[in-house]
Amino acid sequence: MIARLFGRTSRADSASAEERFAVASQLQLTWWRFRRHKLALASGVIVILFYLVAAFADFLAVNDPQDTDSRRSFAPPQVISLFDDDGSFRPYVTVIRARRDPRTFRMVFDQSSKVYLTMFTPGYNYTLFGLFETNIHLLGLKDPQPGDGLYLLGTDRLGRDLWSRMMVATRVSLTIGLAGVIISLFLGILLGGISAIYGGVVDMAIQRTIEIIRSMPTIPLWMGLAAALPSDWSVMQIYFAITVIIALLAWTDLARVVRGKFLSLREEDFVTAAELAGAGQLRIIFRHMLPSFLSHIIAATSLALPAMIISETSLSFLGLGLRPPAISWGILLQDAQNIEALALAPWLLMAAVPVIVIILAFNFLGDGLRDAADPYG
Amino acid sequence: MPPTLMAERAAAPAAGTPILSVRGLKTYFRADDGVVRAVDGVSFDVRAGRTLGIVGESGCGKSITARSILGIVDRPGKIEAGEVWLTPGGGTGAPIDLAKLASDSAEMRAIRGKEIALVFQEPMSSFSHYYTVGNQIMEAIRLHSDATKQQAHARAVELLRLVGVPKPERRVDEYPFQLSGGLRQRVMIAMALACDPHVLIADEPTTALDVTTQAQILDLMRELQAKRALALILITHDMGVIAEMADDVVVMYLGRVVERGPVDAIFHDPKHPYTQALLRSIPSIMATPRTKLATISGSIPHPLNRPTGCPFHPRCPDFKPGVCDKAEPATTVIDDRREVACFLYGGGA
Amino acid sequence: MISFFVRRLLLAILTMWVVSVLSYVIIQLPPGDFVDTYISQQSASGSTVSAAEAQSLRELYGLDQPVWIQYGKWITRILTGDFGESMEWRQPVKDVIGDRLWFTVLISVAALLVTWGLALPIGIYSAVRQYSFGDYAFTLIGFVGLAVPNFLLALIIMYLSFRYLGANAGGLFSAEFELAPWSWAKLWDLIKHLPLPSVILALGGTAQLIRIMRANLLDELRRPYVVTARAKGLPERWVVLKYPVRAALNPFASTVAYLFPYLVSGSVIISIVLSLPTVGPLLVRSLISQDMFLAGTIVLLLGVLTVIGTFISDLVLMWVDPRIRHQMD
C-alpha cells in the first residue's frame, strides 16, 4: 500500500542504505524479495526434500518395491515404538510370526514378538544415481527371521510394501513432471519468443494455435493419445511418450508469459537505451531482456510443474498413463480406485498425501516467486 | 425538485466568505515497516470565490490533504489529529468539523459531492469505462436530490453544455473511452458541479492534458468560479498554473506547510529556501538561452526515512548544522496572511 | 463488434476442425485397422475371414484409400449424424452414448454455476476485507482446493462417506430410479444427487477464480475512479459493487473460456471415481479396449461441446464489455 502510494519516491530514493539495490541484478532483487515470503521459503525447502527423496528413493526404501507375497496381502501399517520396555531408545516394531508346528504340521501363530530396527543395513540391490552398485538402505530390521518384514505404511493387494513403493513413485512422478516442464519450457520460450519477435502473421498463427489448444478439453485428448501408445512399448518408452504428450498441450501458458513479458520489456527504457547505444538484437535479448524475465520464467515453471504432476497422476490413475511394472503416484492410487479396496485397506490412500503436499508446495513456491519477480505487476 | 441550474447562483456567497478552514491536519499511514506522516500538521483557509493553490513535488502530501478533507483516505491512512471546519451552504450554515465524522457516515456522504466536489488528475482513469458519462453524472444528482431519471438526464445534458462539451445530447450517452482527454476533463468538471458544490478541489486537473487543452480547462474553471462563487482548491506541482490561477498559495514539503501567503508575495518575495528553489526551477522565456535550468539538489527522501529536524535540511542551500537537523522549525507569522516554517526567520528555536 | 464476433466464430470453427482431425488421429492411431480387429474378433469366435473377404471389406469401408479421403468420408458421415458402430457394444455409437453426453453437459454446467456462485461473493469479500481472518481462511481453503486434484477429492469423499455414513456417495440416481423412465420423482432424485459431484468438480476452478477475482478487485479498488465515486458521496457498498466489481467482472467472465474445457476434462475423471453415467467411464473403457470409433466420437463430441461453451462465453464477454461493443463504431 505504502509502497504503491509512494512508489515513485521510493524507487528514486538516494539514501545510502538503498544503494545496494541499485547495483543488484534482477535475480538478486528477486531473491531478496522472495526471502521475505516465509511460506514460499518453507515450500521451497519441502520441494528440495521431495527431490532428495527422489534422488535417494532406493536408499530410503525398505523392501524391494516389486516384491510380491500373497501371504502378506493388505498387511496394515506397522507402528514403530521408539522406546523399549526399559525406557531406553531402541525403536522396534511388533511382528506376528507364523510357523509350522513340526509335529502337527499345522500353522501356529506365535505371540507377537519385537523386532528391533537398525540403520544402514543391507537389503535388496540397487544402483545409486545409476553409478554405484549397493545394497545399503536407511532402515531395516535387526536379525529378522524369514517372513519378518518392515511395512511402515502397510502393503497392497499383492503384498508389496507401500512405503518403498511410494519412495520409488516419488522419483518417477517428480522426474516426469520435470522432464515435461523442460520440454514445454523449451516450446514455450521458443514459440512465445518467436511470436513476440516476429509479430505479424507468425504471431497471429501462434496465438491462434494457443487459443485452440486452450479451448480443448485436454484430459480426453491426453487419454486418447496415451491409449494409442503401442502396448508392447517398454516402460521407458511409455514414460517418454507420456511426458511428450503432456508437454505438448502444456506449453501454452509459458508461451503467453514469455510473449507478454517480451512485448512489455521491448517498450522499457533500458531496452531502448541499449538499442540507441547500438547493441545488436541478440545482445539485447540475451544481455538485457532475458535476465529481467528469467525470474518470471522460474515462477511460471514452478506453477507449471504441479499441473504436470497432476496430469501424469490422473492419466496413470485411469490406467492410461504409465503402466505397471512402472511405479508412480497415479499407479499407486489406481489400487485405491474402488471403494471395496479402500474399505479393506484405507492406508492405500496414503499415496494421495505426497501428491497434495508437493502440489501445495509448488503452488506456494510459485506464488512467492511470482510476487518476488514482479512486485508491481 | 433538483436545484435549478443557472448561470449564476441564486444566492451566491459574497466573495471572500470563509468556507473551509483546515487546522493542524495530520494524516498518517501506519504499516508494519513504519509510519508515513503523509500530512503532518497542515493549516489553511479557503474562501468563496477565491482560489487556494497547494503546490509541492509529488509525494509531498497534496493529494492526501485533499482526500483527508473528504474523508476518503485509503487504508491504512487515517486522520490522526486536526480539524476541518466546513461552513455549509456557502457560508450560511452552522460549521461542521469534518475530521470528526466517520468516513462512511451519512453526514459525511451528504457533504461529499454536494458541498465539496473533487476533480481528478487522470481524466482517463477517473471514470469507469463500464458506464456512460451520463450515468455517472446522473448518479450524483439523484443521490443528493430527489430528481427523477428524466430530470437528472436533462440536468446532465445541461451541465455538459455548461462546461462546453459539443453536442451534449449525444455525448451524454457515450462511454468515457469514446471521448478525447480534454473532453473527458470537461465532463469530469461537469460531474463535480452536478450538485452545485461550494467547494471544488481540483487535484492536478491539467497535468495529463496538452498545453492548449490545459489553458482551456483553466479558463473554464476560472469562468465557473466567477459565476458560482466557488471556493477552489487547486492542487498542482506546476508553479505556472499557480501563478495564473491562485489567490493564495500553500507550499508543502513532506507533509508539512513550509510557506503560506498571497500569490504575489510568494512569487516576488519567497521566504522559504524550498519555495525559492521551486521558483528557480521554472523555465522562463526571459532566461538566457542555453543556460542550465536550476534544479533542487538531491531528491525527496523516502517517506519512511524522514530526516530529523527540518525535513528539507539535506537539500537546503541555507542549511545550518546543529540547528536545522536538530528540531523541526515552528511556523513564523510574518504578517496576517504570510507564514513560513524556517529557522532563517526565527522558527521558534 | 461485428469483426470481433466474426473472428470468434471463425476461430471456433477452426478449433472444431482441429478437434475433428485429432479425434480421427486417435481413431487411426492404434496399429491395424478396423478390418484387422474384425478378423481377430472372428477368429476368436471360431470363424475365419479369408484374404479376399478382408480385401472386399476394406474396399467397402474405403480403408484402401488415402487417409485424408477416409477422413473426409468419416467427417461427412458425422455431419449427417452417423457416428459409426461401436465394436465392443455392437451397437451404433449414437445409441451407446445416448443420454451420457447430456449428463456430462449437465454436470459441467452445474459445476460452472457452482464455481461462479462461490467464487464471486468470496472473491469480493476477500478483496474488500483483505488480510482479515475470513480472507486468510478462504485463501487457505482455496489453496487446498487448488492442490487436491478433483479425482483425489472424489476418492477421499467416497471413502469418508462410506466409512462414516455407510452410504455410497457415487452415482447420479438412487438405485430405484437408475433404469426407470423419466418422471418428476426421477428428476428430483437427480437434483438431489447433483450437488456433490458438481461441488467436487467445481472446487479447483473455484479456488482459481477466487484468486483471480480477489487480485482483479484489489487492483481495481486502487484505481482513481473508485475515489471519484466515493467523492460523489456514494455509500461504500454501492461504490464497490457498482464500479470495481463491475470492472473486475470482465476478466472474470473471460476465464469461463478456459474454465469450461477444464470442467469437461475434470468431469471425465471424477465420473469414473463417482461412477456417474457420463461419457467419462465410457471413454476410458473404449480406450482400454481400443473401441476406437466410440472413443474418437466421444473425444470429438467433448471437444465440440467445449468449443461451443467457449464461444458462448466469448459472446457474453462481448455483451458485458462496452469497449468491445463499441470497438467498431
Side-chain angles (χ1 to χ4, degrees), chain A residues 64-142:
Chain A
D64 186 340
Q66 306 288 10
D67 192 16
T68 63
D69 186 345
S70 60
R71 281 176 303 175
R72 47 165 205 252
S73 166
F74 288 141
Q78 290 165 338
V79 180
I80 297 181
S81 312
L82 289 178
F83 298 98
D84 210 347
D85 297 337
D86 57 1
S88 60
F89 182 75
R90 270 182 96 191
Y92 66 89
V93 291
T94 311
V95 298
I96 298 171
R97 292 201 184 114
R99 65 181 169 85
R100 215 168 282 277
D101 189 292
R103 275 167 298 182
T104 61
F105 293 103
R106 283 238 203 88
M107 289 298 282
V108 184
F109 291 95
D110 281 358
Q111 281 301 308
S112 50
S113 42
K114 285 180 198 168
V115 181
Y116 292 100
L117 297 185
T118 159
M119 293 175 84
F120 305 108
T121 61
Y124 70 92
N125 294 325
Y126 64 96
T127 36
L128 190 63
F129 309 132
L131 291 175
F132 314 107
E133 191 96 21
T134 177
N135 64 351
I136 300 298
H137 298 265
L138 179 66
L139 274 181
L141 293 178
K142 199 175 196 171

Side-chain angles (χ1 to χ4, degrees), chain C residues 9 39 48 58 68 98 101 123 140 171 242 257 266 269 289 293 312:
Chain C
L9 188 67
I39 293 170
T48 52
R58 286 205 167 87
W68 58 273
L101 189 65
L140 190 72
K242 179 170 176 182
I269 295 195
S289 62
F293 270 112
I312 292 174

Side-chain angles (χ1 to χ4, degrees), chain A residues 4 208 211-212 214-220 223 227-228 314 317-318 336 339 342-343 346 352 359-360 364 367, chain C residues 11 14-15 19 29 143 147 151-152 155 158-159 162 211 222 258 261 265 269 272-273 283-284 287 290 302 306:
Chain A
R4 255 173 218 286
R208 292 299 88 78
E211 277 177 50
I212 287 175
R214 282 169 71 95
S215 62
M216 286 194 289
T218 41
I219 288 179
M223 285 164 64
S314 312
F317 174 74
L318 292 174
I339 198 80
L342 266 188
I359 292 168
L360 263 180
F364 285 133
D367 260 23
Chain C
L11 191 66
L14 188 64
T15 312
V19 169
L29 265 184
F143 264 117
F151 75 91
L152 266 183
L155 257 184
M158 280 289 275
Y159 172 69
F162 180 81
R211 290 171 72 189
R222 277 191 279 263
Y258 71 83
S265 280
I269 295 195
I272 291 157
V273 180
L283 176 61
V284 174
L287 284 171
Q290 304 237 319
L302 287 179
T306 330

